[in-house]
Amino acid sequence: MPYGYLITVAVTGWFVFFALVPLHGRFLGRISFRSGLVVSELPFAALAWLSLWTAVAAAQGDLAAPAAQAVAAAASAAGIALVAIARRSARARPVIDQALAAGLGVPAATAPLTWRRRAALLLAPLPVRPRRVRRVRNIAYGPAGERNLLDVHHHRSRPAGGPVLIHLHGGGFTGGRKGREARLLTHRLAGRGWVCISATYRLRPGSRYPDPLVDTKRIIAWARAHAGEYGADPSTVVVSGSSAGAHLAAMAAFTQGDPALQPGFEDADTSVAAAVCLYGYYGEVYEDGPATSALERVHDGAPPFLVAHGDHDTCMPVDEARAFAGRLRAASRAPVVYAELPGAQHCFDLFRSPRFEALVDGIEVFTAHALAGDAGDAGARGDEAGGGEADGGEAGEVSGRSPADGAGRRGGTPPRSAAARAAGARPAAPPPGRSG
């Protein structure tokens, strides 16, 4: 019996099982997440690994015994399952196209993948910063030391007039680090002339809500004051986040200019043009009360939103994202795009996978529409945004808008009182460590 091959097949089978059959619950959900994430996003890499070891075992004559042939049969079954997982991942692009058309109210779709981009997805599944993008690290934006640092990603040629993207990491308000998630998104947009910012914020223990939200507003204020130094048009800021960062992005979009959340910088402009929320948690933050719930802060003056969530997310149930997007659509006057990604787990934005590549294409279409503020331009701008190469366009190319586009559309309506908010039960506060 080739025990090395047996162990390889067994371990691969474990990962494949949880990618196919996610289990829920606080304990089993974490096991499913940690075991199934990589295979769910990179099934071809797992298939190549399994095929390699099967070929090695066959070349060494280790598959002659009946027991070894049974292991090889199990490997074949795992391979078939991996192909099914890959096919499920490929369904993300049409789902995102449908979400864009429904949410924007105009024909809008991502461009089909070129062969060059398909090859890049297979050969380079980990997002690597392209040469055309420069990173400036650990700039202080507030008084909280290492919890108030940000990185700036910008095109080396610093083309003028690009929008600003701020991305906030996840970690359940207890951990995480800047630049860990959504690197494909920040690299892509920076390569197209955006100025992209990833930042730390205050965490537990040692802070309470709304400290992380105050930090988020400090980042927005910093971007408006300094992003022009890197070539951006600081009048237009898009805020995005993953998991707990999505909660902060939503709250920042709902509380623009609220002086109670801007101590010491009450007069700073903290408005945002759009929000992008990836596999977010939208309920109350621990024991800090209903005022911390993004679901309860929804109002009719919210900016355009794109909400994306995986239907296999075992850390943050997809029902919560559905409820958030539904309430937002019912209340907001601005477009709301909700994309429910087939087979996606929590943290799907860690990799350069076909699924996240399609979503980044969709985010480009969404932001082009949101920043243009004109439904008639959405299709043309979206086709242009979606058709570029995976790691950005040529020097000076800016995806989104010109500096003059969308002027005067950034204010939004202040949050309404609790009595005026949309009716509905508040979700229970998550246990510590639940929101990622």
Side-chain angles (χ1 to χ4, degrees):
M1 167 65 69
Y3 290 103
Y5 180 55
L6 172 63
I7 292 171
T8 298
V9 173
V11 171
T12 304
W14 171 275
F15 295 153
V16 169
F17 172 80
F18 285 108
L20 276 176
V21 187
L23 302 180
H24 294 270
R26 185 172 183 181
F27 177 69
L28 291 178
R30 290 291 175 178
I31 292 177
S32 285
F33 163 60
R34 297 182 186 279
S35 299
L37 173 63
V38 175
V39 167
S40 179
E41 294 305 312
L42 304 176
F44 286 114
L47 183 60
W49 174 258
L50 189 61
S51 300
L52 172 64
W53 281 103
T54 300
V56 169
Q60 293 177 344
D62 292 336
L63 301 184
Q69 291 174 2
V71 175
S76 298
I80 294 171
L82 287 167
V83 172
I85 292 169
R87 289 172 60 88
R88 185 180 62 191
S89 177
R91 289 166 47 202
R93 189 168 295 272
V95 166
I96 292 165
D97 288 346
Q98 293 169 11
L100 289 169
L104 301 180
V106 295
T110 60
L113 284 176
T114 63
W115 283 108
R116 181 178 175 182
R117 294 175 72 193
R118 291 177 189 273
L121 290 172
L122 291 175
L123 300 176
L126 298 179
V128 177
R129 188 173 75 253
R131 289 190 298 273
R132 62 171 60 90
V133 174
R134 180 172 181 261
R135 179 178 64 176
V136 183
R137 300 183 61 191
N138 294 332
I139 302 171
Y141 70 85
E146 65 180 9
R147 300 316 312 174
N148 278 175
L149 297 177
L150 59 83
D151 295 346
V152 175
H153 294 78
H154 66 88
H155 200 290
R156 290 186 181 274
S157 68
R158 300 195 184 193
V164 178
L165 176 80
I166 295 169
H167 187 268
L168 304 161
H169 66 79
F173 299 103
T174 62
R177 64 180 185 273
K178 56 182 168 62
R180 181 180 65 178
E181 301 101 348
R183 285 182 292 167
L184 178 63
L185 174 62
T186 55
H187 295 167
R188 170 88 70 83
L189 294 185
R192 295 192 188 282
W194 288 58
V195 170
C196 297
I197 295 169
S198 56
T200 60
Y201 50 85
R202 282 174 286 177
L203 301 171
R204 292 175 179 247
S207 70
R208 291 180 60 87
Y209 210 85
D211 291 346
L213 180 55
V214 172
D215 290 345
T216 300
K217 291 177 172 291
R218 286 189 187 276
I219 299 165
I220 297 170
W222 185 95
R224 292 196 176 277
H226 298 284
E229 300 168 12
Y230 301 93
D233 170 16
S235 67
T236 300
V237 176
V238 175
V239 63
S240 66
S242 301
S243 196
H247 187 288
L248 293 175
M251 290 291 283
F254 294 147
T255 62
Q256 303 178 49
D258 186 342
L261 297 170
Q262 298 178 199
F265 59 109
E266 290 85 354
D267 296 331
D269 182 0
T270 58
S271 62
V272 297
V276 175
C277 298
L278 308 179
Y279 52 92
Y281 168 74
Y282 305 106
E284 295 180 12
V285 179
Y286 303 111
E287 73 276 10
D288 290 338
T292 68
S293 170
L295 192 66
E296 294 298 312
R297 289 280 193 160
V298 170
H299 60 86
D300 60 358
F305 263 77
L306 185 149
V307 179
H309 212 97
D311 65 3
H312 278 198
D313 193 323
T314 61
C315 298
M316 208 60 54
V318 69
D319 290 347
E320 296 184 14
R322 291 173 188 160
F324 176 71
R327 186 175 294 195
L328 189 54
R329 280 176 171 162
S332 178
R333 299 188 300 267
V336 177
V337 175
Y338 175 62
E340 192 166 299
L341 307 179
Q345 250 290 3
H346 208 64
C347 293
F348 58 75
D349 59 351
L350 291 176
F351 306 100
R352 187 183 186 180
S353 65
R355 180 183 286 116
F356 192 45
E357 180 90 3
L359 182 57
V360 171
D361 288 350
I363 291 171
E364 286 202 277
V365 174
F366 165 76
T367 54
H369 179 278
L371 301 187
D374 186 317
D377 289 344
R381 289 176 181 269
D383 289 343
E384 179 180 353
E389 295 304 321
D391 57 1
E394 297 302 321
E397 180 186 358
V398 178
S399 171
R401 63 193 267 301
S402 69
D405 288 339
R409 288 190 296 274
R410 299 184 300 274
T413 302
R416 297 177 291 171
S417 65
R421 295 185 192 118
R426 292 196 306 268
R434 181 178 175 218
S435 62

